Structure formats: structure tokens, C-alpha cells
């Protein structure tokens, strides 16, 4: 989809939906390597180009898993991906904690 096709759809959104769309776009610009898409990882932040959620990586770390072990478990991830995940998690700790709690309850 290109911007010309997207514009009428954006204009049809409610004010609340437009606000959410702006937030999603702003986050994708602010966090290289981290994305949020409503249909992927339940809308949680994840490593770009993957379906690996940031909260999952944080949870691995909390369990004592080292970065080296994480990279062996997810060979398609890089050290830069992990650095981006840790930076994002430190900026949005409440979001990450809520995602971990949701997934523990599920």
C-alpha cells in the first residue's frame, strides 16, 4: 500500500484511532529496530523483521539468560537487536511489565 491509498483510510479513522496511529508511527521512528504492529505479537513491541517480542527477551534476561545464550536461541537476532530491545525496555518499563504479566496469566 502506498501513501496515496493510505490517506483516505487514515482520514476515515476516529480521533482516538488517529491518535493511536500517530503514536505507532512515532514509536517506529524513535526506536530503530523495534516495531509495533497490531496483528503481530498482540501489538507489543518486537524486534523488526521478526516476531520476537521485547518483553520475551526481557523475561529471558530476568530468568538469568545471558545475551550470548539469547543469541544462540534466536540465531537470527544480532547484538544490535538486543541493544535496541534493552534500550526500549528501559524507556518503557511499565509497558514491558504489563506484557510480561499478560503472558504469564495466559
Amino acid at each position: 500500500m502506498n501513501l496515496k491509498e493510505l490517506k483516505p483510510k487514515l482520514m476515515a479513522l476516529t480521533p482516538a484511532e488517529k491518535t493511536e496511529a500517530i503514536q505507532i508511527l512515532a514509536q517506529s521512528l524513535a526506536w530503530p529496530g523495534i516495531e509495533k504492529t497490531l496483528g503481530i505479537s498482540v501489538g507489543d513491541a518486537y524486534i523488526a523483521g521478526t516476531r520476537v517480542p521485547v518483553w520475551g527477551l526481557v523475561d529471558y534476561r530476568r530468568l538469568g539468560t545471558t545475551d550470548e545464550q539469547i543469541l544462540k536461541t534466536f540465531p537470527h537476532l544480532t547484538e544490535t537487536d538486543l541493544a535496541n530491545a534493552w534500550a526500549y525496555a528501559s524507556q518503557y518499563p511499565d509497558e514491558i511489565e504489563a506484557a510480561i504479566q499478560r503472558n504469564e496469566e495466559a
Side-chain angles (χ1 to χ4, degrees), residues 39-77:
I40 299 175
S41 296
V42 196
D44 292 327
Y46 62 94
I47 303 298
T50 75
R51 291 180 179 259
V52 178
V54 173
W55 70 260
L57 297 172
V58 170
D59 203 31
Y60 270 117
R61 211 179 209 195
R62 286 183 179 175
L63 295 171
T65 310
T66 66
D67 286 6
E68 182 178 280
Q69 291 168 322
I70 292 171
L71 292 173
K72 284 181 182 177
T73 302
F74 299 97
H76 56 288
L77 297 184

Side-chain angles (χ1 to χ4, degrees), residues 22-43:
I22 290 168
Q23 290 171 342
I24 291 168
L25 289 170
Q27 287 177 340
S28 73
L29 293 173
W31 294 101
I34 304 293
E35 296 178 346
K36 280 182 145 182
T37 304
L38 293 179
I40 299 175
S41 296
V42 196

